[in-house]
Amino acid sequence: MKMGCFDDKILFKIYQRDIIFIKFYIKNMIKNPIIVFKKVKNINIKVKRNLDIILTVPMQTRRQTIDTIIIKRQEWINKQLEYFKQRQTPVKQYESGEVFKFLGQTYTLKIINSAQNTVKLNNDCLELSISDNFASIDKKALLIDKWYKDQALHYFMPILEKYRQIIGKTINRVVIRHMKTRWGSCNPKKAYINLNLELIKKPVTAIEYVVLHELAHLTHYNHDSNFYNYMSLYMPDWKSRKKLLEL
C-alpha cells in the first residue's frame, strides 16, 4: 500500500531510524485520533460519522505500535473519512428552496409570512409559516427542530411499543435527543432507551431496525453471535434495513 511517495517498508525503516519524523508525518495525516485503552486483545479502528477516528487498543500498548497500525490503515481511514464527508449535511440557512428529510422522503422548504408560527407538510413542501419576529435563522431552526421532535414522539413511541410487546421486555424510560455518533443507545440494567432525533429523517423500516437493535440489548448486552441471532429471529431483514441509515 503506497502513501504519497513512500511505501510501507520505507516508512517502517524511517520510523525505526527517526521517530520524530514519523510522528510528525502521522500527525499531519490524521488529526487528533482518539486512543482508548481497554481490556481487548486486538487494536480496532473506527471512523465515526462526525469524522472522529477512534482507536481501541489493549492496555499497555506502546505508542510505536499504535503509530505503525495507523500507517498501515491510512488508506482505509481516508476512504472512510471521505465517505462520511460526502454525506455530511450542509449548514441550513432556513430559506425557501432548501431540502429537508422526513421519514426517508425529501421535502422543499417554503417560507410563508404569517401571524402564527407553524410547521406542516403540504404535498412535497415543508411549509414554515412565521411572523416577523421569528424571521431569524435561530428561531426558524427552533421551530423546525420542535416539529421534528413532535413527529419523532408520534412515530417512535408506537414502534417502541410494538417491538417491546414482541420481545416481552419492559422499558422504564425513553429519551429522544440529538446524538453525535449513534442512532440509539440502551442502558440494559436500568431499561433506558435513547433514540437519535435524526432518525425521524430515515425510512420507517430503518427506524424499526434501530428500535429493535436497542431493545435487543435488554437481553444481549454485547454485539456477539447471540445478539445477531436474536436480531435475525425477530427481524430477518435487519441487514438491509440497516443500510437505509446510510442514505
Side-chain angles (χ1 to χ4, degrees), residues 92-98 100 109-114 116-120 126-149 178:
K92 298 289 187 185
Q93 299 301 312
Y94 296 92
E95 297 176 348
S96 291
E98 288 184 320
F100 285 77
L109 182 64
K110 182 179 180 181
I111 305 293
I112 301 172
N113 291 326
S114 173
Q116 295 182 328
N117 301 310
T118 61
V119 182
K120 68 175 183 178
L126 178 65
E127 292 184 348
L128 175 59
S129 300
I130 53 172
S131 56
D132 290 340
N133 62 343
F134 263 78
S136 69
I137 292 177
D138 290 344
K139 289 185 177 181
K140 287 187 286 187
L142 285 173
L143 285 172
I144 291 181
D145 195 61
K146 182 182 182 305
W147 180 80
Y148 272 132
K149 288 177 180 177
H178 290 286

Side-chain angles (χ1 to χ4, degrees), residues 3 12 19 70 104 131 135 146 151 156 190 199 242 246:
M3 296 173 52
F12 185 73
I19 294 176
I70 290 175
S131 56
K146 182 182 182 305
Q151 297 302 313
F156 292 0
K190 294 183 178 180
L199 274 175
K242 182 181 179 180
E246 300 174 2

Side-chain angles (χ1 to χ4, degrees), residues 189-246:
K189 293 183 179 179
K190 294 183 178 180
Y192 291 174
I193 301 293
N194 296 310
L195 295 174
N196 192 333
L197 179 59
E198 290 294 306
L199 274 175
I200 196 61
K201 301 176 183 179
K202 302 300 180 180
V204 171
T205 51
I207 298 171
E208 289 180 333
Y209 157 74
V210 174
V211 166
L212 180 60
H213 182 111
E214 301 311 331
L215 290 177
H217 282 305
L218 296 174
T219 301
H220 300 286
Y221 295 0
N222 302 312
H223 292 126
D224 54 18
S225 59
N226 291 326
F227 174 88
Y228 291 112
N229 289 337
Y230 190 85
M231 286 291 298
S232 297
L233 175 64
Y234 293 108
M235 188 178 286
D237 63 340
W238 67 266
K239 291 182 181 179
S240 61
R241 291 176 183 239
K242 182 181 179 180
K243 290 180 180 179
L244 295 175
L245 294 171
E246 300 174 2

